[in-house]
Amino acid sequence: MPENRYVLLDRDGVINRDSDDFIKSPEEWLPIEGRLEAIALFNEHNYKVVVVTNQSGVARGLFDTATLEKIHAKMQRMAAEKGGKIDAIYFCPHGPDDGCNCRKPKPGLLEAFAAEHHASLTGMAVIGDSLRDLQSAPARYRSKPARAAKP
Ligand SMILES: O=P(O)(O)OC[C@@H](O)[C@H]1O[C@@H](OP(=O)(O)O)[C@@H](O)[C@@H](O)[C@@H]1O
Ligand SMILES: [Mg+2]
Ligand SMILES: [Zn+2]
């Protein structure tokens, strides 16, 4: 049985529009044109899609995890409407000063994914809209240096 192939996507600014006021509700979650179709395309090419996202809005009291789950249910539903499937979503609910290991650029979200899916992070494709997303893949796993595309 061939090993599953994964692509790890950041959420805000990659799948959906980001906001300086955070994405606090399902209504505020709006896909960026073409990105849900891109998830379906990854699937067509036998890549499973996993989302890894910092959601410090929880620690900041802007929304709770129940609301975050509703946002993610909308994302999953809209992806499915375009023929795409998000296999798993890993999020960090902590704030910048909480000292957790899962807030990107810390590797905790990717390591949790790798452990739960029995997947290797070596050479794993990580797509993000900020450098911290790319830095969340520890250098020992990277085939080339992390850099964010010029805006
Ligand atoms: O891009 P991902 O990881 O999917 O999510 C990032 C967002 O959760 C939020 O990240 C926050 O960064 P701080 O947590 O305040 O540093 C702010 O930039 C918010 O405007 C933004 O919506
Ligand atoms: Mg982002
Ligand atoms: Zn965390």
Side-chain angles (χ1 to χ4, degrees):
M1 179 67 176
E3 229 176 56
N4 285 323
R5 299 191 304 174
Y6 294 92
V7 60
L8 304 181
L9 300 184
D10 172 59
R11 195 194 84 184
D12 298 339
V14 171
I15 299 173
N16 58 283
R17 293 183 199 154
D18 200 353
S19 161
D20 289 343
D21 295 331
F22 293 75
I23 304 301
K24 304 180 288 299
S25 68
E27 293 71 25
E28 291 181 3
W29 190 93
L30 299 169
I32 297 170
E33 193 177 336
R35 303 296 168 87
L36 297 175
E37 293 82 350
I39 290 173
L41 201 54
F42 274 123
N43 297 157
E44 279 171 38
H45 289 273
N46 299 315
Y47 280 89
K48 291 180 180 286
V49 171
V50 169
V51 172
V52 284
T53 179
N54 283 353
Q55 289 304 320
S56 67
V58 174
R60 298 172 193 278
L62 298 174
F63 49 89
D64 58 19
T65 49
T67 300
L68 188 56
E69 296 300 339
K70 289 188 183 121
I71 292 171
H72 290 162
K74 176 180 179 181
M75 178 169 70
Q76 295 271 25
R77 187 177 66 252
M78 292 188 75
E81 287 166 2
K82 299 289 184 186
K85 182 172 184 278
I86 295 169
D87 267 56
I89 300 169
Y90 291 85
F91 65 87
C92 165
H94 306 111
D97 304 326
D98 290 344
C100 72
N101 186 46
C102 55
R103 175 180 162 82
K104 295 177 289 182
K106 293 284 184 67
L109 296 180
L110 273 65
E111 290 172 344
F113 150 73
E116 288 174 22
H117 289 74
H118 311 292
S120 165
L121 290 175
T122 302
M124 179 76 62
V126 179
I127 297 174
D129 67 321
S130 62
L131 194 53
R132 73 180 181 190
D133 300 321
L134 309 186
Q135 290 169 327
S136 63
R140 66 180 178 277
Y141 296 119
R142 284 188 228 137
S143 50
K144 43 184 163 311
R147 59 181 175 76
K150 294 274 176 288

